[in-house]
Amino acid sequence: MARVLVIDDDEAHRVLVRQILGKMGHEAEEAPDGAQGLRLFGKRRPDLVLTDINMPGLDGNDVISALRVLHPDVPVIAISGGGAIAKDELLLKAAKLGAVEVIMKPFEFRQLAGAVTRALSK
């Protein structure tokens, strides 16, 4: 069982991801924004971070950048539903910053489960 930190400003999405992770046997902790996510990370270092890209304040790319500097060994999965910038551009930037997997919303159970399994095996 892995501890996974889920950072997303969309509560319904956090609940969905937590349920998927639970079915996979993982424990999920949730944060509604990047700043709170980084605080939670510091208190109880997770094995994996899943972060949305588009969030107010510290966005997912800010989270990825901070984690690459402070904890380069912790895998990060970036998730995006798009916004003002095309989803693929956002996810490409996240990958360049160090996300080990990138997923577009909406996604299927298998997509997230596969990404989590691959990220935890790295």
Side-chain angles (χ1 to χ4, degrees):
M1 174 172 73
R3 280 191 318 249
V4 182
L5 174 58
V6 179
I7 306 171
D8 196 318
D9 60 327
D10 181 341
E11 183 178 1
H13 183 256
R14 288 193 316 268
V15 169
L16 172 66
V17 172
R18 185 182 70 230
Q19 290 171 343
I20 291 171
L21 292 168
K23 288 179 183 181
M24 295 178 68
H26 302 304
E27 173 187 338
E29 192 163 11
E30 302 172 37
D33 58 54
Q36 187 171 340
L38 290 175
R39 281 193 297 278
L40 284 173
F41 185 98
K43 290 180 182 177
R44 189 169 168 207
R45 184 178 168 167
D47 302 306
L48 173 65
V49 175
L50 277 81
T51 185
D52 186 26
I53 298 299
N54 273 336
M55 297 183 288
L58 284 178
D59 68 13
N61 286 327
D62 295 329
V63 169
I64 295 167
S65 294
L67 291 176
R68 288 306 88 187
V69 170
L70 301 171
H71 303 281
D73 58 321
V74 175
V76 178
I77 296 175
I79 302 172
S80 180
I85 302 172
K87 285 190 254 189
D88 54 347
E89 288 179 46
L90 291 171
L91 293 173
L92 179 61
K93 181 177 180 183
K96 286 180 179 178
L97 290 171
V100 298
E101 294 278 340
V102 293
I103 301 172
M104 287 191 205
K105 293 179 186 175
F107 53 81
E108 294 180 10
F109 176 93
R110 291 177 301 177
Q111 287 175 290
L112 182 62
V116 167
T117 299
R118 287 188 299 275
L120 289 171
S121 68
K122 292 182 182 184

